[in-house]
Amino acid sequence: MIEERLTRQMDTARRNRRQIRIWLGVVVFALFALVLVGGATRLTESGLSITEWKPIHGVIPPLSEAEWDEEFTLYKQIPQYSQVNSDMTVEGFKTIFWWEWAHRALARSIGVIFALPLAVFWLTGRIERRLKLPLLGILALGGFQGFIGWWMVSSGLVNRTDVSQYRLATHLIIACLIFSACLWILRGLSPHRNDAPPTRYSILVAAGIAVMALFQIYLGALVAGLDAGLSYNTWPLMDGALIPGDLFIQSPGWRNLFENPKTVQFVHRCGAYVLLALVVIHMIANLRLAPHSTHARRSVVLACLVLMQASIGIMTLILQVPIVWGVAHQAGALFVLCFAIAHWRGFVGEYPPETRMVRG
């Protein structure tokens, strides 16, 4: 009798885990789409087209010509219109408006996609006790991200024609943290093979790769915020040299790392070299020490993804950041981050089963 009850309990736990994995998989896919739409919004310079923060009313776009004229009039009051788009017509405004509206609408829909199933799973006792606080934390971070998004947009409404690169990078990194946290939990609920790690340091290297991938995304956001990819469009030389001059021309020196387009692009390039070297060394070590393990196979895939992403980055730079290549580069960064998180989680393993499910 006890064994039958335990078997039923384990079957229920596996079924619950599968349902939660599917839910988190949908969330991760939606977040992936959101980041890509956000990248396209940035590349088309559409992010300042909606000049007011209306979390509820903003769900409904303009439905009449009078409403379109009202939105366009608001846009005409910001510097981007007067200094960059003074010849724009209302039809041209509609194009950039729809990009930003789609970005905000998708962000709102993700809030619903995450919150409603979370409430259902919670109330029906299908969420394991160890996951309740992490999932609530992700929900809270998602709500905070909405505020950060407006904080970013507001930086370009008064004295600038674009948003602050600091705020853009913050906005993107929080999105990637939410993306990574969902992936971490999803992978933890998935079955794992119990292959021994190649060395006791393998998990630390895998963690370092994931952190480095996230840092590269941060650097990429600074590059995007400064339009640094529109200059120095040669590779491997930059401004005619492997190490260009005037990297620290601004004072104090630290500002160059965030505000000098040449320095920011150079650091982003160097970060890519470091990440590629790290994953290749990690792959070689895994293949030599544990050639038939899942860890080794994942390390090969990860190295291939980073190499592909580096190639896309080079082409994006040489072609001076066309929209398609820019979005592809951003998608590649998310693929690398996704697989780096999954690879790291592979060394940690699956969440151990709980012997008792507790209703919240």
Side-chain angles (χ1 to χ4, degrees), residues 17-190:
R17 283 191 170 192
R18 182 175 182 274
Q19 292 172 354
I20 293 174
R21 289 201 308 270
I22 293 172
W23 162 54
L24 289 176
V26 172
V27 172
V28 166
F29 179 79
L31 287 168
F32 180 84
L34 177 64
V35 173
L36 294 195
V37 172
T41 300
R42 169 63 191 165
L43 289 167
T44 56
E45 298 184 349
S46 305
L48 299 178
S49 58
I50 301 178
T51 60
E52 295 180 334
W53 191 30
K54 299 176 181 177
I56 306 300
H57 178 65
V59 174
I60 304 173
L63 300 176
S64 66
E65 287 305 316
E67 290 179 349
W68 277 113
D69 288 340
E70 180 182 351
E71 289 288 345
F72 191 32
T73 298
L74 292 172
Y75 178 68
K76 288 180 178 180
Q77 297 172 12
I78 69 172
Q80 188 184 74
Y81 173 79
S82 59
Q83 298 179 34
V84 179
N85 293 326
S86 58
D87 59 345
M88 178 177 282
T89 64
V90 68
E91 292 302 317
F93 170 73
K94 289 179 181 179
T95 300
I96 63 172
F97 179 94
W98 282 122
W99 273 115
E100 177 63 5
W101 182 87
H103 184 53
R104 297 191 188 193
L106 185 54
R108 291 183 178 102
S109 69
I110 292 174
V112 176
I113 291 170
F114 190 90
L116 287 185
L118 175 62
V120 172
F121 288 138
W122 191 300
L123 294 174
T124 54
R126 281 177 277 182
I127 296 179
E128 298 175 22
R129 182 166 45 192
R130 65 166 65 89
L131 299 181
K132 290 185 175 182
L133 282 179
L135 290 171
L136 282 178
I138 294 173
L139 180 63
L141 190 59
F144 181 65
Q145 174 73 325
F147 166 77
I148 292 296
W150 175 248
W151 177 65
M152 176 190 69
V153 169
S154 65
S155 68
L157 298 180
V158 180
N159 298 316
R160 300 172 56 112
T161 61
D162 55 6
V163 300
S164 162
Q165 72 273 22
Y166 296 102
R167 300 188 187 188
L168 174 66
T170 301
H171 188 53
L172 180 57
I173 285 301
I174 292 177
C176 289
L177 287 175
I178 296 171
F179 180 80
S180 300
C182 291
L183 276 168
W184 182 264
I185 295 174
L186 189 157
R187 271 293 280 153
L189 293 172
S190 304

Side-chain angles (χ1 to χ4, degrees), residues 258-290:
F258 302 95
E259 300 178 13
N260 183 340
K262 177 185 280 190
T263 309
V264 170
Q265 188 194 125
F266 179 72
V267 173
H268 188 49
R269 290 189 185 203
C270 291
Y273 301 147
V274 171
L275 178 59
L276 181 58
L278 185 59
V279 297
V280 170
I281 293 171
H282 181 61
M283 176 189 70
I284 294 172
N286 286 348
L287 289 174
R288 288 186 61 187
L289 299 174

